[in-house]
């Protein structure tokens, strides 16, 4: 800590918070190691300890981010031009054939290195790295992440670490993040907008999806004792948390915020 914090009073305050005991059932218990769950000191020390990792990975992101955008796919443009030409000539058989072809391929050149993107996200000890580019680039960033964690005496948990395609989705902070498939991108969704007093409906394409499973939330609440599953009617019902009945409203709100 002394590498990042030079104030002796701040260091002394942090040490006293680390070595301070806890009160359980009105009894003071001493503590020799660890930090209590829910302590505001936990995220502070986590950010302080992983600051060097953040700086290094951000440098890697800047190095691997190349160009402003990916070039257009020449094959896609070729079939798109043939489709437009067939429509102008009234040859609908060829137009339908060409439209089916160019809709089955990407409009941008995904092989070109001009347009690689690397984005680093970290919340406490949960890390998500988004890569636009070849899989080899994702594996390179993962290797660098592993080496940097080893320097500070940490290691990645293999059971929770994986390299997946955006279409398959990934779990981050209890939410699933994924890239919609081509069919969803083409279909999109309708959104009514008002332009100069005229209401028009336009299609909005969702380029990223974020969702949380309702069953996942209910299972978490059931583990906390807030809800209980009714096997007869196959529904979840709320339960009374008797331990907080006599608490102040502020403490009750704090309790449910921690769930």
């Amino acid at each position: 800590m002394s590498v990042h914090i030079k104030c002796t009073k701040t260091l002394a305050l942090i040490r006293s918070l680390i070595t301070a005991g806890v009160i359980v059932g009105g009894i003071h218990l001493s503590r020799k190691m660890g930090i209590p769950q829910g302590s505001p000191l936990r995220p502070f020390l986590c950010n302080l300890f992983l600051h060097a990792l953040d700086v290094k990975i951000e440098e890697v992101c800047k190095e691997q981010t190349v160009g402003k955008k990916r070039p257009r796919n020449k094959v896609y443009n070729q079939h798109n031009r043939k489709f437009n030409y067939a429509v102008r000539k009234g040859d609908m058989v060829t137009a339908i054939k060409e439209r089916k072809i160019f809709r089955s391929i990407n409009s941008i050149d995904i092989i070109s290195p001009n347009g690689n993107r690397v984005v680093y996200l970290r919340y406490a000890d949960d890390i998500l790295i988004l890569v636009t580019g070849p899989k080899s680039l994702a594996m390179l960033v993962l290797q660098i992440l592993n080496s940097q964690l080893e320097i500070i005496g940490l290691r990645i948990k293999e059971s929770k670490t994986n390299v997946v395609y955006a279409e398959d989705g990934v779990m981050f902070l209890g939410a699933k993040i994924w890239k919609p498939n081509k069919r969803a991108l083409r279909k999109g969704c309708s959104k009514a907008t008002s332009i100069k007093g005229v209401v028009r409906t336009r299609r909005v394409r969702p380029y990223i999806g974020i969702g949380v499973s309702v069953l996942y939330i209910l299972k978490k609440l059931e583990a906390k004792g807030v809800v209980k599953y009714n096997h007869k009617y196959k529904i979840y019902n709320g339960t009374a948390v008797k331990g907080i009945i006599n608490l102040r409203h502020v403490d009750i709100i704090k309790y449910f915020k921690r769930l």
Side-chain angles (χ1 to χ4, degrees):
M1 292 188 296
S2 59
V3 177
H4 302 284
I5 301 175
K6 303 301 181 183
C7 179
T8 56
K9 292 184 179 180
T10 303
L11 290 172
L13 177 61
I14 294 175
R15 290 192 187 97
S16 63
L17 290 173
I18 293 176
T19 57
V22 294
I23 298 177
V24 179
I27 302 174
H28 180 268
L29 301 177
S30 60
R31 181 167 45 85
K32 296 182 179 180
M33 61 180 299
I35 301 173
Q37 187 74 25
S39 171
L41 195 61
R42 293 174 67 93
F44 171 76
L45 292 179
C46 179
N47 292 332
L48 189 69
F49 194 68
L50 297 178
H51 175 70
L53 174 69
D54 295 339
V55 173
K56 179 61 180 179
I57 301 301
E58 287 292 347
E59 291 177 357
V60 173
C61 292
K62 291 181 180 179
E63 292 174 0
Q64 299 299 331
T65 299
V66 182
K68 294 183 179 180
K69 63 179 182 179
R70 291 183 179 274
R72 299 278 294 182
N73 190 339
K74 295 181 180 180
V75 178
Y76 176 90
N77 291 339
Q78 179 183 359
H79 288 285
N80 195 13
R81 286 194 298 268
K82 289 182 179 180
F83 164 75
N84 293 329
Y85 179 78
V87 171
R88 288 196 300 269
K89 293 296 182 179
D91 186 0
M92 300 310 299
V93 176
T94 304
I96 294 173
K97 178 183 176 181
E98 293 298 329
R99 183 179 65 176
K100 185 177 180 180
I101 294 174
F102 79 73
R103 280 192 170 184
S104 64
I105 58 180
N106 289 298
S107 61
I108 59 175
D109 188 358
I110 60 175
I111 303 177
S112 174
N114 184 24
N116 288 347
R117 297 287 182 273
V118 181
V119 179
Y120 169 73
L121 302 172
R122 181 180 66 81
Y123 184 86
D125 57 348
D126 293 324
I127 297 175
L128 175 65
I129 300 179
L130 305 174
V131 177
T132 301
K135 186 177 180 179
S136 58
L137 176 58
M139 299 304 296
L140 174 63
V141 176
L142 179 60
Q143 183 181 359
I144 296 173
L145 179 64
N146 270 320
S147 60
Q148 290 300 313
L149 287 173
E150 289 178 359
I151 293 176
I152 58 179
L154 299 176
R155 58 186 177 87
I156 289 179
K157 193 171 184 178
E158 297 294 338
S159 60
K160 294 186 177 181
T161 304
N162 197 8
V163 178
V164 298
Y165 291 100
E167 289 82 0
D168 298 332
V170 61
M171 294 298 297
F172 184 64
L173 302 178
K176 184 179 181 181
I177 303 174
W178 75 94
K179 177 184 177 182
N181 54 31
K182 293 181 180 179
R183 183 178 180 182
L185 288 175
R186 288 198 301 266
K187 184 178 180 181
C189 57
S190 300
K191 181 181 179 181
T193 57
S194 177
I195 302 175
K196 295 182 180 180
V198 180
V199 178
R200 297 180 181 180
T201 302
R202 62 188 182 91
R203 186 173 64 177
V204 180
R205 295 182 177 182
Y207 288 99
I208 189 171
I210 302 177
V212 182
S213 171
V214 176
L215 183 61
Y216 170 81
I217 297 175
L218 290 173
K219 290 290 185 182
K220 295 268 292 185
L221 293 175
E222 184 181 13
K224 297 288 185 179
V226 178
V227 298
K228 186 177 181 180
Y229 185 69
N230 190 322
H231 293 276
K232 181 179 179 180
Y233 298 102
K234 296 182 179 181
I235 59 174
Y236 282 92
N237 295 324
T239 60
V241 185
K242 298 179 180 179
I244 64 172
I245 293 178
N246 296 324
L247 297 179
R248 299 179 304 166
H249 290 169
V250 176
D251 296 328
I252 295 175
I253 293 173
K254 288 182 179 179
Y255 171 81
F256 283 103
K257 280 187 175 181
R258 289 198 301 265
L259 297 178

